Structures are given as structure tokens and as C-alpha cells.
Amino acid sequence: MRHYAKLLAPSGSVAAKLAFERNREQRLSRLRSAAGARRRVGDERRRMRALLATPGGRLRWQDAPAPPAPGPDGAIVHPIAASTCELDCALALGATQLPLPLHLGHECVAEVLEVGERVSTVKPGERVIVPFQISCGKCPPCRNGHTGSCVSVPPISMYGFGLAGGHWGGAFSDRLAVPYADAMLVALPAGIEPAMASGLADNVCDAYRHIAPHLPSLLERDGEAEVLIVSTGDAHSLYSGSAALYTGLIARVLGAHRVVLADGRPHIRAEAERLGIEAVKPSELKRRAPAPLVVDMSFDALPLALSSTAADGICTCAGSLHSTAKVPLLLMYGRNVTLHVGRTHARTLIPRVLELMLQKDLRPLDVTTRVASLEEAPHILAEHFRGGVIKTVLTE
């Protein structure tokens, strides 16, 4: 009841408005197709397993229709390493305005099974990273690197978000359909294990885009400049903390000497310290000097992040599921603070993060606290969602 009540909240209406801003008929067509597939009995298509999340945090393997053969530009892939995202716990427990049930998971490395006749960059048997956002590679936003805003598909088209994402399927499944294989799929370099790279589909690239555009010029001005990452102040938050830890890890790899993470949960602070990141409670920020680069990974503490941003500094925000947020506008004006809010363009950033892994020894798996078998997905993810586990990767 709480879950479906959220769908009627103001944030729910904002999400619906975004989803239908353009390509309305295309989105409706996909919804009708998904609804028809659920109603059909004796479907002659191949079957597969897909992890289904239903309200109340219930997870189970569902026998579902497999995607049809790929179109001329598409591919069918088989996930071999799939990982949890920052949002998956809140999503699966029905604590967001995104409708359940849905097929869960949107971060994966996969093996290519089939490709369409016009596909030239990948072939069956190859291992690839599958970005969580659907993008064509040819429209103006895609050509400009804004692959998360592709106009060939409806807004916020992505894997693992069910109705809200356009019914593209989930990464915790036997198969995924990739409509634009040449544009979307990124070959996994030799020497990088699938479990190490699965998070690049979303969270690792999201962390990278908060740091890489800003840190080099900041360190040129002040080699000891501090990077502050504001995670949650809620000791019982349903967000996992993985994206905040990735952000700190990437800041260290890119040369920041002073990296601080603020989080209200002891186990997140302990993990940050293990990774070489200074950890503090959010309440301690009021006694600290503002930082020139602040990353808000909290989903609920933007005012604190902005108040902790130094004069002429930058606050970059991962976003929120709330429809509105209070901002200290006069303080920002007086300090000349720049605020950036937006989503990652994962497909554009995946090659850059891979380069960082190969050249700077970035190891995303250092943030992972559990690696287990895909066969055990319902049990393992149920434990993950009960709390205390930061990042889970499931592999074959």
C-alpha cells in the first residue's frame, strides 16, 4: 500500500511527465507489447529466467518470454556478471515512486549470443559491457556524447526499471535485447574480469563524471584541494553507498590527496577508511571549512552539500527521487557556487573509465563487498537488501 501510494505523490507525477515528454506512441507501444506478453498463454517464443521484484521486497525467478531474434542493428546478449546499483534496494523494496513489479538489474557484462545483419563491431562469443541506458549513437544528443538523452527512444529508456524505464528487461536474467549493438556495446578488454567491470554500466561512470571534469583544473590551482563527498545522513538509508565510495576511489586515482566522505552509517565510514578515504559524520561538516569540489551522492542532503561548498566552488549532484529540494540560494550567490544536477551518459564514459582501469589501476571491485553465483540471485539479493552489504556482483 505504501508503494502504490508513492505513485500518486508529486514525484510520481513528475516521473510520468518525463517519461512521456516525447516519443509517446513508441513508449505506449512497448507498454502494450509487454502487457500482451504477460497475458499470452502458450507463447511459442523461447523462454528464459528473469528476476522479478514485487512489492514488499519479494524476489523470485520468473519464467518469461525470451527476447525475439535481433533486428538488423540489434543483438541478444547473455549477462555473465551483473551487479547491484545504488538504487536497487530502495527500488526492490517499493520505497520509490517507480512502479513494481519489474525485472531487476541494469549493470552487467554479457556474452554476445546473436547479432543483426548490419552489426559490425561485435560478434557472437565476445564479452561486452552493456550500458544501462538505451542509445542509438546517431541522433544529435548521441553524437554530442549525451547518450542518456537519446531521442530515438522515449526519455529515460533503460534496463532494470520496468514500466518507468520502458520495459527493456533486467540484467538479472538469461538474455537482454540490445537494439543498437554497434552504438551501445563496449568490448571488455583482455585482462579485465567481468566482475570487475559490471559496475561500469552505471555506478562507476556516474562517479567518474562528478570528478574527472573538475578535478584536474582544481589541482592545478591548489594541489591540496579537498574533494568532499556527501553521502546520506540517515543511518537507516536504503541507498547502498556504493556510488559515493566509487567517487572517492576515482578522486584518489585521479590525484586528489584530500578526499573526505560524509555518511551517517558506521559501516560505510569504515569501508571508506579501508579505501584510504577520510570518513566523517555529516554533523561534523558544520565545523569544517567548505570544500572547492563537493559531490552530493546523498539523494536527500543537497542543502548540506551546497552549504559545504567553498567560494567559487562546484557542487555536482547525482540527483534525487524527490520532486523538489530546498537550496540555500543567498549563500550560493554570495559564494558564487556552481550547482550541476543531472544524469550520467554512461555509454560515452565507459571507454574513459576502462582507460583509467588499465592505466591507473582503478579497481572498482575494491568497493564490492560480496561476489556470489547468479543461480542464487533471489536469496543473495534478499540478504543484500536487508542491509549492511554495499555492492553485490553475481556471476556465472
Side-chain angles (χ1 to χ4, degrees), residues 80-81 108-109 127-129 188-200 354 357-358 363-365 393 395-396:
I80 57 176
C108 75
V109 169
R127 292 179 169 184
V128 292
I129 301 168
L188 184 69
I192 296 182
E193 291 298 316
M196 183 70 76
S198 62
L200 272 67
L354 282 173
M357 293 173 67
L358 293 169
R363 292 180 50 83
L365 203 58
V393 180
T395 65
E396 286 197 330

Side-chain angles (χ1 to χ4, degrees), residues 303 306-307 309-312 326-338:
L306 289 168
S307 299
T309 307
D312 299 302
K326 293 182 179 180
V327 298
L329 193 58
L330 181 58
L331 180 67
M332 292 173 62
Y333 174 73
R335 290 183 181 172
N336 201 31
V337 168
T338 299

Side-chain angles (χ1 to χ4, degrees), residues 164-186:
H167 280 303
W168 291 94
F172 296 115
S173 63
D174 291 333
R175 287 176 172 83
L176 278 180
V178 180
Y180 306 105
D182 284 340
M184 290 177 59
L185 299 178
V186 181

Side-chain angles (χ1 to χ4, degrees), residues 145-166:
H146 301 151
T147 51
S149 301
C150 176
V151 296
S152 294
V153 292
I156 57 175
S157 289
M158 50 194 175
Y159 298 111
F161 287 88
L163 174 66

Side-chain angles (χ1 to χ4, degrees), residues 263-387:
D263 195 291
R265 297 165 291 186
H267 74 283
I268 299 293
R269 295 198 301 272
E271 187 67 11
E273 295 284 359
R274 186 185 70 79
L275 294 171
I277 302 165
E278 182 183 353
V280 299
K281 297 178 181 178
S283 59
E284 297 178 46
L285 294 180
K286 296 177 181 179
R287 300 190 295 271
R288 298 176 64 96
L293 176 57
V294 178
V295 181
D296 174 34
M297 282 285 186
S298 68
F299 296 94
D300 58 10
L302 179 60
L304 177 62
L306 289 168
S307 299
S308 302
T309 307
D312 299 302
I314 295 171
C315 178
T316 171
C317 173
S320 172
L321 294 179
H322 300 292
S323 58
T324 60
K326 293 182 179 180
V327 298
L329 193 58
L330 181 58
L331 180 67
M332 292 173 62
Y333 174 73
R335 290 183 181 172
N336 201 31
V337 168
T338 299
L339 169 64
H340 180 269
V341 182
R343 296 172 294 116
T344 187
H345 298 295
R347 175 56 184 87
T348 298
L349 297 180
I350 288 172
R352 303 177 197 177
V353 178
L354 282 173
E355 185 178 353
L356 204 59
M357 293 173 67
L358 293 169
Q359 296 185 1
K360 297 286 189 178
D361 199 30
L362 171 67
R363 292 180 50 83
L365 203 58
D366 288 346
V367 172
T368 300
T369 49
R370 189 168 193 181
V371 179
S373 169
L374 268 166
E375 290 288 333
E376 303 177 78
H379 167 68
I380 296 296
L381 294 180
E383 289 187 350
H384 176 96
F385 297 151
R386 283 197 287 269

Side-chain angles (χ1 to χ4, degrees), residues 33 36-47 63-66:
S33 176
R38 286 197 297 269
R39 288 195 301 267
R40 284 194 294 269
V41 178
D43 195 319
E44 295 181 357
R45 282 191 288 169
R46 292 173 298 182
R47 311 295 292 182
D63 178 55

